[in-house]
């Protein structure tokens, strides 16, 4: 990829940063370009930034506030990190915006804070930004403006938020009120911080609210805001909580470093992915809170690699804007609450600029990522995930046996407690995710749900869904779970149990399936996508799709498929994948099921190296004996499932 020429970056430094070439100067230049690019979209008083793109369900004024608040967080990192030595117009714009946004007569006033309103999210960004820039903005505001700002924030006091990461928006905002001597509720703060204890599941992991909601909100919200709160409260006002939060973040980062590929891409899983490099927030916070287990050179290499990854692929774009998507615009990556300025939560990815220029993170030489040094295997029992990275191609894969984004059981009265509530979400329901692929997520692709999924397919072509995931095991290189499947016109829920076994670059999936007579069992691999249509090939027991750049996805039948001439194929689609307009998914399918129980074993491959599916048929010997399946690999190792 080119080095994002539209950003007008300084020359790369291959001595200090041998892996990425990026230094603090590159971060500052990127931040400046992004901030400058917003000014044409500001309202006259700079209280709102009304960016082009699809509006959210909250309306244009809320979206405009979002543009102010989230970019203010980026501006705060730039201003405070430079000790105020920035272009004066930057501080002036945001000071003016505070005055106009809190003035009911300005014509661009912000909506009041009401229970569970989107304004609560944005207020938290304003509170953090005001705290970090206090000497340069808050302390210089007219007393009347300060009073209006306090009055606006006071809508939080005694207010109700959604019972998830939103509790922390109230915590940091009311702590800001406390820091400026304004009325606030200590019980709101303590209650919010107490509530997240219910969601801590160990090993550094939180679920975002009740249920099994594991995604990037763990890092860019559940770990981030408690320590931002501690920065506002100060060491004498945190009641000893900060030490606990620091310890948890340190443990989280031990595993989190394995979520990034050698090209800087984070694993593509979960909601709000349009926040992109906000995934770096916990990495920078570890350094800010002096609790990171990562060496300074590794912290910068990870962070710079990810920011550069997006910059080289069009985020920010040639206008300097972040669009609703992953690289370029792709609305299925977003949610209904996502407005045109929502991507600017990516500002959290610039928290490292708050570290002084002489901090070791900026001055020590880059160190390689774990996946650049060796193949990696990481079991994460708390979320029910396996991670495995391969050094030869730099890809990290996530095997999902635990995160489904469903309400906890017991489910609402109108939902089956085994199935879960609502539809399956492609960003949670898949068996596999990676740093090189995205799930097929456009509405027109969801009806058939081929990729990363073991489905029962009814005679009319309707596939079963994977909604509530019931974790069974996650240790070493093995993870297992089960889920319930239902087909149209059949009231019975059929149980599908899956065990994933990692071996080298491969994932072997062992499925124990309950099925009605006549259904077809179908297994999909990773979806690969590109600007041009991927190459596709298949045989009677394997299928393969490969992009022009050599990224290959393949599935190979090892046991129990018997699909005959139609037993393997490649499904194609257009405009359904965040990684490119043309996508392809290899899949296996069985003959019509006789009814009852069956076992199906498949080998799943995602690689930038050569893949020979015919040879892979001999890579694993499978023996099924009653309730046990024994896998024997070429190196003599055996795994019993």
């Amino acid at each position: 990829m080119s080095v994002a020429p539209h950003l007008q970056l300084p020359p790369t430094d291959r001595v200090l940063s041998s892996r990425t070439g990026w230094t603090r100067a590159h971060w500052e230049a990127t931040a400046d370009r992004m901030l400058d690019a917003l000014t044409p979209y500001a309202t006259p008083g700079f209280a709102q930034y009304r960016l082009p793109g699809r509006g959210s369900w909250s309306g244009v004024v809320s979206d405009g506030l979002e543009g102010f608040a989230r970019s203010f967080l980026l501006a705060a990192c730039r201003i405070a990190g430079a000790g105020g030595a920035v272009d004066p117009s930057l501080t002036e714009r945001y000071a003016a915006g505070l005055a106009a946004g809190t003035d009911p007569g300005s014509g661009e006033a912000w909506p009041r804070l009401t229970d569970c309103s989107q304004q609560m999210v944005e207020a938290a960004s304003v509170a953090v930004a005001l705290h970090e820039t206090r000497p340069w903005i808050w302390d210089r505001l007219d007393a009347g403006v300060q009073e209006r700002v306090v009055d606006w924030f006071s809508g939080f006091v005694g207010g109700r938020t959604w019972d998830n990461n939103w509790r922390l928006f109230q915590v940091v905002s009311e702590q800001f009120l406390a820091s400026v001597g304004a009325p606030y509720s200590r019980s709101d703060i303590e209650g919010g911080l107490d509530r997240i204890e219910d969601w801590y599941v160990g090993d550094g992991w939180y679920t975002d609210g009740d249920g099994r909601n594991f995604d990037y909100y763990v890092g860019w919200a559940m770990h981030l805001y408690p320590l931002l709160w501690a920065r506002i409260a100060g060491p004498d006002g945190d009641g000893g909580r900060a030490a606990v939060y620091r310890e948890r973040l340190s443990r989280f980062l031990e595993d989190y470093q394995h979520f990034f590929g050698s090209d800087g891409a984070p694993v593509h899983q979960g909601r709000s992915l349009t926040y992109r490099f906000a995934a770096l927030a916990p990495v920078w916070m570890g350094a800010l809170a002096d609790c990171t287990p990562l060496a300074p050179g590794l912290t910068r290499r990870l962070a710079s690699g990810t920011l550069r990854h997006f910059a080289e692929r069009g985020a920010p774009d040639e206008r300097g804007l972040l669009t609703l998507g992953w690289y370029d615009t792709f609305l299925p990556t977003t949610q209904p609450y996502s407005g045109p300025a929502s991507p600017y939560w990516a500002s959290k990815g610039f928290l490292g600029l708050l570290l002084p220029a002489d901090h070791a993170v900026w001055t020590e030489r880059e160190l390689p990522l774990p996946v650049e040094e060796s193949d990696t295997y990481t079991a994460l029992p708390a979320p029910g995930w396996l991670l495995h990275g391969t050094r030869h191609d730099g890809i990290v894969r996530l095997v999902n046996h635990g995160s489904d984004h469903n309400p906890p059981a017991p489910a609402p009265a109108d939902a089956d407690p085994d199935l879960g509530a609502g539809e399956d979400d492609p960003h949670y329901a898949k068996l596999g995710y990676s740093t090189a692929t995205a799930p097929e997520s456009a509405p027109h692709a969801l009806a058939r749900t081929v990729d990363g999924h073991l489905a029962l397919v009814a005679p009319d072509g309707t596939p079963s869904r994977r909604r509530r995931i019931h974790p069974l095991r996650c240790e070493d290189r093995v993870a297992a779970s089960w889920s319930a499947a239902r087909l149209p016109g059949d009231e019975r829920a059929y149980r599908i149990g899956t065990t994933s076994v990692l071996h080298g670059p491969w994932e072997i999936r062992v499925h124990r399936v309950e099925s009605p007579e006549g259904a077809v069992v179908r297994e999909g691999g990773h979806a690969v996508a590109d600007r041009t249509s991927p190459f596709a090939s298949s045989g009677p027991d394997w299928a393969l799709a490969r992009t022009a750049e050599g990224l290959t996805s393949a599935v190979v039948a090892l046991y129990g498929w018997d699909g005959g001439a139609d037993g393997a194929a490649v499904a194609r689609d257009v405009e359904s994948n965040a990684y490119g307009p043309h996508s392809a998914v290899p899949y296996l399918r069985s003959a019509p099921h006789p009814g009852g129980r069956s076992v199906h074993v498949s080998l799943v491959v995602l690689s930038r190296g050569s893949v020979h599916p015919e040879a892979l048929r001999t890579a694993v010997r499978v023996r099924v004996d009653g309730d046990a399946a024994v896998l024997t690999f070429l190196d003599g190792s055996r795994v019993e499932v």
Side-chain angles (χ1 to χ4, degrees):
M1 304 296 293
S2 64
V3 191
H6 59 280
L7 291 177
Q8 298 180 354
L9 298 173
T12 55
D13 184 339
R14 292 293 177 178
V15 175
L16 182 63
S17 303
S18 60
R19 303 279 171 165
T20 70
W22 279 37
T23 64
R24 183 185 177 97
H26 292 77
W27 282 80
E28 292 173 341
T30 303
D32 290 344
R33 174 63 180 130
M34 290 173 61
L35 289 165
D36 290 344
L38 293 171
T39 56
Y41 304 98
T43 51
F46 295 100
Q48 299 179 34
Y49 289 87
R50 298 187 175 183
L51 301 179
R54 184 205 66 190
S56 76
W57 60 15
S58 297
V60 65
V61 176
S62 176
D63 290 350
L65 164 61
E66 190 170 64
F68 176 90
R70 300 188 180 199
S71 65
F72 187 20
L73 190 57
L74 175 58
C77 293
R78 186 69 178 94
I79 293 165
V86 295
D87 185 336
S89 67
L90 182 60
T91 55
E92 291 166 3
R93 286 202 303 271
Y94 285 92
L98 289 162
T102 56
D103 180 1
S106 69
E108 50 193 280
W110 302 332
R112 300 291 297 178
L113 295 175
T114 55
D115 288 353
C116 299
S117 62
Q118 181 65 31
Q119 297 86 269
M120 288 182 162
V121 184
E122 312 319 322
S125 292
V126 175
V128 171
L130 281 171
H131 172 74
E132 298 295 345
T133 61
R134 185 163 180 167
W136 306 284
I137 295 183
W138 175 261
D139 289 347
R140 299 181 184 183
L141 289 177
D142 177 273
V145 175
Q146 290 182 341
E147 290 175 6
R148 294 204 306 267
V149 171
V150 165
D151 179 63
W152 185 71
F153 273 113
S154 68
F156 259 123
V157 181
R160 181 174 65 88
T161 75
W162 297 118
D163 197 28
N164 55 16
N165 68 87
W166 280 48
R167 297 294 293 267
L168 296 170
F169 305 149
Q170 185 173 38
V171 166
V172 297
S173 297
E174 292 202 44
Q175 191 62 53
F176 172 74
L177 286 174
S179 74
V180 297
Y184 71 102
S185 169
R186 173 53 57 183
S187 63
D188 284 351
I189 295 174
E190 297 294 333
L193 295 174
D194 288 345
R195 183 64 172 120
I196 70 171
E197 296 303 311
D198 299 329
W199 302 325
Y200 185 68
V201 295
D203 294 335
W205 285 87
Y206 293 88
T207 176
D208 179 17
D210 294 333
R212 298 191 60 82
N213 305 317
F214 299 105
D215 53 31
Y216 285 109
Y217 276 86
V218 176
W220 66 40
M222 306 308 294
H223 278 295
L224 181 66
Y225 285 103
L227 285 166
L228 289 173
W229 164 80
R231 285 172 68 85
I232 302 173
D236 297 329
D238 65 22
R241 293 183 186 262
V244 175
Y245 301 146
R246 292 171 72 250
E247 181 180 353
R248 290 176 182 174
L249 177 55
S250 179
R251 176 64 186 89
F252 176 74
L253 291 174
E254 289 178 19
D255 296 329
Y256 192 62
Q257 61 182 308
H258 296 288
F259 278 75
F260 297 82
S262 62
D263 63 355
V267 171
H268 192 100
Q269 179 273 340
R271 65 190 175 101
S272 301
L273 290 170
T274 194
Y275 302 160
R276 299 174 173 102
F277 38 85
L280 299 173
V283 177
W284 285 126
M285 181 50 75
L288 281 165
D290 195 23
C291 63
T292 183
L294 310 182
L298 177 55
T299 293
R300 190 176 78 257
R301 188 271 173 266
L302 192 163
S304 292
T306 298
L307 183 60
R308 177 172 174 160
H309 175 86
F310 283 101
E312 290 177 342
R313 291 162 177 80
D317 66 12
E318 69 282 355
R319 299 168 297 175
L321 299 179
L322 296 177
T323 60
L324 284 166
W326 184 243
Y327 297 136
D328 52 13
T329 301
F330 185 71
L331 293 180
T333 296
T334 68
Q335 284 69 43
Y337 57 72
S338 304
S342 288
Y344 285 83
W345 242 31
S347 298
K348 296 177 179 182
F350 285 83
L351 287 171
L353 289 179
L354 294 175
L355 295 164
D358 60 357
H359 190 281
V361 161
W362 295 117
T363 61
E364 292 195 7
R365 291 188 176 185
E366 283 185 347
L367 297 176
L369 293 173
V371 74
E372 292 178 299
E373 294 194 294
S374 65
D375 291 354
T376 61
Y377 302 90
T378 309
L380 305 171
W385 288 342
L386 295 178
L387 292 173
H388 64 128
T390 41
R391 181 175 180 269
H392 79 275
D393 57 14
I395 296 174
V396 174
R397 306 154 193 83
L398 184 154
V399 180
N400 176 30
H401 287 277
S403 181
D404 57 20
H405 202 56
N406 263 281
D414 61 348
D416 187 307
D418 287 339
L419 289 172
E423 291 297 319
D424 54 330
D425 186 325
H427 295 100
Y428 293 92
K430 304 300 183 183
L431 282 162
Y433 298 92
S434 83
T435 58
T437 62
E440 300 282 79
S441 54
H444 67 267
L446 298 182
R448 53 181 182 170
T449 315
V450 179
D451 61 302
H453 184 47
L454 190 286
L456 301 179
V457 183
D460 68 356
T462 303
S464 64
R465 306 293 187 175
R466 186 188 191 214
R467 292 191 286 188
R468 188 179 306 286
I469 299 172
H470 302 264
L472 297 172
R473 176 186 182 188
C474 184
E475 58 188 356
D476 193 23
R477 302 184 187 184
V478 180
S481 64
W482 71 273
S483 58
R486 182 171 287 162
L487 293 173
D490 190 338
E491 291 301 313
R492 181 179 173 184
Y494 297 91
R495 179 167 170 150
I496 297 175
T498 298
T499 299
S500 295
V501 179
L502 304 182
H503 186 84
W506 311 325
E507 178 193 354
I508 294 83
R509 296 177 184 166
V510 181
H511 307 283
R512 183 174 180 174
V513 176
E514 293 179 351
S515 173
E517 182 180 357
V520 168
V521 181
R522 189 187 67 197
E523 164 97 273
H526 291 271
V528 293
D530 205 350
R531 291 192 175 98
T532 58
S533 185
F535 167 80
S537 183
S538 62
D541 51 15
W542 60 269
L544 173 151
R546 184 174 63 245
T547 69
E549 294 182 353
L551 177 65
T552 301
S553 173
V555 288
V556 180
L558 298 180
Y559 180 90
W561 288 97
D562 303 324
D566 297 325
V570 175
R572 295 184 181 274
D573 216 325
V574 293
E575 301 294 355
S576 64
N577 196 287
Y579 273 70
H582 297 275
S583 55
V585 184
Y587 67 91
L588 306 172
R589 53 179 286 138
S590 72
H593 204 284
R597 291 180 175 176
S598 60
V599 174
H600 305 263
V601 184
S602 55
L603 186 149
V604 178
V605 182
L606 179 69
S607 177
R608 290 193 174 98
S610 298
V611 176
H612 302 283
E614 302 96 328
L616 290 174
R617 283 281 288 120
T618 65
V620 189
R621 295 199 308 275
V622 180
R623 179 170 56 85
V624 176
D625 184 8
D627 288 335
V630 179
L631 311 177
T632 304
F633 298 94
L634 290 176
D635 61 6
S637 60
R638 296 170 72 253
V639 177
E640 182 174 318
V641 175

